[in-house]
Amino acid sequence: MFSITVRDHMMVAHSFRGAVFGPAQRLHGATFVVDATFRRPVLDDDGIVVDIGLATQQLGEVLGELNYRNLDDEPAFEGVNTSTEFLARLIADRLAERLYEGALGENARGISAIVVTLHESHVAWASYERSL
């Protein structure tokens, strides 16, 4: 399996419901380093997994929809704990939508999986992998 990973970051504010979250139940900020990995079993006709420039651009656009926002104020997230795990899946799903729309190039249709990892710090992170 071949893969490439591109990286960006985002800053959000949010709060959680539930005693398991302790002080994070209050509004707080989070800065995430975000890695998006694209996997495929066979390289395309150009000998690549995906155009790194397009992958970087699309990740940046997806994160731009979330960056510098209070997620508690976003109607799409009403009643949802926007945990690191939840956000990893959301970003992977949005990248997959863009791939299906052709935003990553026609050859990207050979990608078999996208993995998104959100690094909360140097010691904690969460990932979501989705097959395509």
Side-chain angles (χ1 to χ4, degrees), residues 36-88:
T37 300
F38 300 85
R39 294 186 176 150
R40 66 187 301 158
V42 179
L43 298 177
D44 72 8
D45 293 339
D46 295 314
I48 61 174
V49 173
V50 67
D51 180 315
I52 289 175
L54 287 176
T56 301
Q57 175 187 354
Q58 293 306 309
L59 176 60
E61 288 180 14
V62 167
L63 297 182
E65 297 168 359
L66 302 168
N67 205 16
Y68 294 108
R69 292 206 169 53
N70 179 349
L71 302 182
D72 294 351
D73 292 341
E74 297 293 318
F77 304 136
E78 187 173 340
V80 174
N81 278 331
T82 52
S83 65
T84 306
E85 297 89 337
F86 172 86
L87 292 171

Side-chain angles (χ1 to χ4, degrees), residues 2-3 13 15-16 19 21-22 38 41-42 49 58 60 63 66-67 74 85 96 98 101 103 106-107 111 122 125 127:
F2 296 95
S3 67
S15 62
F16 297 124
F21 294 105
F38 300 85
V42 179
V49 173
Q58 293 306 309
L63 297 182
L66 302 168
N67 205 16
E74 297 293 318
E85 297 89 337
R98 288 167 178 260
E101 293 167 356
E106 282 304 310
N107 287 343
I111 291 172
H122 66 289
W125 56 89
S127 298

Side-chain angles (χ1 to χ4, degrees), residues 16-38:
F16 297 124
R17 290 177 324 286
V20 69
F21 294 105
Q25 292 177 80
R26 293 187 298 274
L27 183 64
H28 63 279
T31 300
F32 297 103
V33 172
V34 182
D35 291 332
T37 300
F38 300 85

